[in-house]
Amino acid sequence: MRAPGRRGPAAPDAPAAPVLLGWRSAAALVLVSAVGVVAFGWPLLAPPHSQLAHSASGAPWLFALLLPLLLAVVVATIADTGMDAKAVAMMGVLAAAGAALRPLGAGTAGLQPMFFLVVLAGRVLGPGFGFVLGAVTMFASALLTGGVGPWLPFQMLAMGWLTMGAGLLPGRERLRGRAEVWLLAAYGAVSSLGYGLVINLQGWPYLAGLSTSVSFVPGDPLPDNLARYVAYVAATSLGWDVPRALLTAVLVLVCGGSVLRALRRATRRAAFGAPVRFEAASGAGGQA
């Protein structure tokens, strides 16, 4: 029988507290996400006669310069208001692990095993931590694989959205076992396809003026450009997106339960947000 006033270790299935967001962090996330929607979707969202619709060569570079600044603001804001040293340490470990996984499938039919890890980490640690983890992991993996270029800020933002979405899935406090694993496997597959669909919007405007059946035509009506974009995705990336989605789902189904338990155990032990108190040593050791 346990002594009164003492607490034993948390139960293995006790919910692990995520890294919480303050209002400044949430506002920064909303801001960068809104700009990101415009940065990705302007070819389809801009009015036909607007200056933006006819700037197919300059607009992608403008957003490629703007997004890193906004991402830096978001990361700094969340780190300042929602992360302590323990959360930053876990961020570094998970980002390094995700970056190390990316080269394992590089160049092989779009297979990228890093996706399953960031989905599971976002589920356990919450949307704010997930967004930063996704962006930082993509940045670190680009440095590791030599994939640095004007497309990198778009990849970081899309991966941040993907990981944040895992943290927003329902049932984080109650859903456990195979049901949760199947939910995350389905999300991993759908979000992997969505990642490819969104990322293709970044490069598609560069085809403007090539006069192909899949080229972006500045100023054309939305239905016409949308049909060209669907054809562009089917012709250029669907063969990469589908294997990535299948691999992510399979890895979550096979390894998801073990990884989720390990992440929750580490999160409970880290006790994010718990105040740090220093107590004076008892006894007369410090007396003359």
Side-chain angles (χ1 to χ4, degrees):
M1 185 173 181
R2 228 181 330 212
R6 296 186 60 188
R7 296 179 60 187
D13 58 348
V19 177
L20 300 178
L21 290 179
W23 69 268
R24 285 186 296 170
S25 302
L29 268 176
V30 171
L31 172 63
V32 76
S33 295
V35 175
V37 169
V38 178
F40 279 111
W42 67 266
L44 300 175
L45 299 176
H49 302 293
S50 68
Q51 183 63 35
L52 187 61
H54 293 274
S55 301
S57 60
W61 290 99
L62 171 63
F63 288 117
L65 294 174
L66 179 61
L67 281 178
L69 300 177
L70 291 174
L71 285 169
V73 170
V74 172
V75 172
T77 303
I78 294 177
D80 181 54
T81 61
M83 290 189 182
D84 56 13
K86 294 174 288 187
V88 172
M90 182 171 283
M91 172 80 65
V93 171
L94 291 173
L101 286 173
R102 189 180 183 188
L104 297 181
T108 309
L111 301 178
Q112 292 181 322
M114 66 181 285
F115 276 67
F116 101 97
L117 178 61
V118 297
V119 166
L120 297 176
R123 169 68 169 180
V124 172
L125 291 157
F129 187 100
F131 181 89
V132 179
L133 175 64
V136 171
T137 302
M138 183 57 71
F139 179 76
S141 67
L143 296 179
L144 189 62
T145 59
V148 178
W151 55 84
L152 179 57
F154 295 89
Q155 292 177 330
M156 292 171 62
L157 181 59
M159 184 61 79
W161 283 340
L162 183 151
T163 315
M164 179 174 67
L168 294 173
L169 290 174
R172 200 193 70 83
E173 301 292 337
R174 300 175 302 278
L175 190 62
R176 293 292 184 272
R178 298 305 297 173
E180 182 182 35
V181 171
W182 277 102
L183 172 66
L184 293 174
Y187 174 79
V190 172
S191 61
S192 295
L193 289 171
Y195 174 86
L197 189 67
V198 169
I199 284 296
N200 281 321
L201 275 170
Q202 179 268 327
W204 181 51
Y206 291 112
L207 296 179
L210 296 184
S211 300
T212 69
S213 59
V214 297
S215 298
F216 169 59
V217 179
D220 259 22
L222 173 61
D224 295 342
N225 267 328
L226 186 58
R228 295 188 187 97
Y229 179 65
V230 172
Y232 169 74
V233 171
T236 61
S237 75
L238 200 59
W240 296 75
D241 298 336
V242 171
R244 179 176 58 235
L246 292 176
L247 177 66
T248 302
V250 168
L251 288 177
V252 171
L253 289 174
V254 173
C255 309
S258 300
V259 175
L260 286 170
R261 287 191 293 271
L263 287 172
R264 287 185 171 123
R265 189 181 306 115
T267 304
R268 285 192 298 270
R269 291 180 177 176
F272 298 130
V276 178
R277 291 189 295 267
F278 297 94
E279 297 180 358
S282 59
Q287 297 180 2

